[in-house]
Amino acid sequence: MRTQDIHRVLLGTFVRPAQETGTGHPRVEAVYGYLIRHEAGLVLLDTGVGVGDSETEDRYRPRRIALPEALGGVGVTLDEVDVVVNCHLHFDHCGGNPMLPGRPVMCQRQELEDARRGNYTMDHLIDYRGSRYDLLDGEAEIRPGVHVIPTPGHVDGHQSLVVKCEDGTVVLAGQSHDTASGWSADALAASAKALGHSQPLPLAPAWMERLLAFDPKRVVFAHDAAIWEPA
């Protein structure tokens, strides 16, 4: 498998309201999934924006690209997807899961428990007809060279994927960071001591060093088209 076997899939857009952006202005954000053409079967990270309640619809004003159409753009049908991985179970990441009944959905056990407690996501996107979960408790290699790494922060059960390819490693960060610049800041914070900087220094998430240890060639995100690459 090579890095060209990882495909970004545009699943829709939404408008983040001004009170959530920190800028005082609304912001249009994309929703990206990632398809991995693995020798053992197709792995899909995230499935798009689900239909929410009227309050959520009015707040975020989503525009969806149906999962069959989105996958068709990279020459794949729903039936060809072997396994789903959700970075987390908010409605803008697991919205297409019910279109894939019987397919295993891999998420952290804590994430599913949190989702089922209510007031977290849309219940109809979690326990749908044919839902099937393969629950993880921490790190796992779900296919040869495809590693799930817990990356809590956005939510406690967030996870990212690390894909080791013949020509380099790609981190599918999900929403561990909203932007590539946010990732870059934490990557530099994690490396600050090695770069010779003295205290006081910013703190990076505890898992940042774990992801950097894979020596990623690039890092991609769920809501940012920008790509992080090392210097």
Side-chain angles (χ1 to χ4, degrees):
M1 184 173 57
R2 300 183 63 81
T3 56
Q4 66 188 22
D5 295 317
I6 302 171
H7 303 274
R8 175 185 281 156
V9 181
L10 178 62
L11 297 167
T13 54
F14 66 95
V15 182
R16 190 174 295 281
Q19 57 267 39
E20 294 185 10
T21 64
T23 67
H25 303 283
R27 180 174 65 230
V28 178
E29 296 188 11
V31 177
Y32 297 110
Y34 292 88
L35 182 80
I36 305 167
R37 294 183 182 273
H38 195 277
E39 295 87 344
L42 301 185
V43 178
L44 178 62
L45 175 68
D46 289 347
T47 60
V49 186
V51 176
D53 55 28
S54 58
E55 180 182 355
T56 303
E57 292 291 303
D58 291 343
R59 183 178 182 85
Y60 293 107
R61 296 176 281 157
R63 293 294 179 263
R64 301 171 178 88
I65 298 174
L67 187 58
E69 178 185 348
L71 290 176
V74 292
V76 170
T77 67
L78 290 176
D79 290 342
E80 293 178 282
V81 176
D82 184 59
V83 62
V84 173
V85 181
N86 289 125
C87 67
H88 65 296
L89 294 174
H90 282 168
F91 87 111
D92 55 326
H93 295 266
C94 66
N97 286 17
M99 296 183 188
L100 297 160
R103 246 60 60 89
V105 175
M106 295 188 172
C107 69
Q108 295 295 314
R109 186 181 308 275
Q110 179 178 356
E111 179 66 6
L112 183 59
E113 291 174 354
D114 289 345
R116 283 175 169 164
R117 289 192 184 104
N119 197 31
Y120 184 90
T121 188
M122 303 301 161
D123 293 344
H124 64 278
L125 302 177
I126 302 302
D127 292 308
Y128 50 87
R129 184 182 297 274
S131 61
R132 171 189 164 193
Y133 289 93
D134 284 1
L135 298 180
L136 306 175
D137 295 297
E139 291 192 23
E141 187 173 9
I142 61 171
R143 295 289 186 274
V146 180
H147 300 261
V148 173
I149 307 295
T151 49
H154 176 64
V155 294
D156 292 342
H158 192 279
Q159 60 186 14
S160 301
L161 282 181
V162 176
V163 186
K164 300 179 73 173
C165 302
E166 295 174 11
D167 55 335
T169 294
V170 180
V171 173
L172 312 182
Q175 204 172 347
S176 73
H177 294 79
D178 286 337
T179 63
S181 59
W183 166 281
S184 182
D186 277 344
L188 287 169
S191 305
K193 288 183 180 179
L195 293 170
H197 294 289
S198 58
Q199 296 290 350
L201 293 171
L203 290 176
W207 41 261
M208 197 73 190
E209 289 187 11
R210 174 61 177 142
L211 289 181
L212 292 173
F214 283 97
D215 189 23
K217 179 177 182 178
R218 63 178 61 102
V219 181
V220 295
F221 306 90
H223 294 306
D224 189 358
I227 298 172
W228 179 89
E229 295 179 339

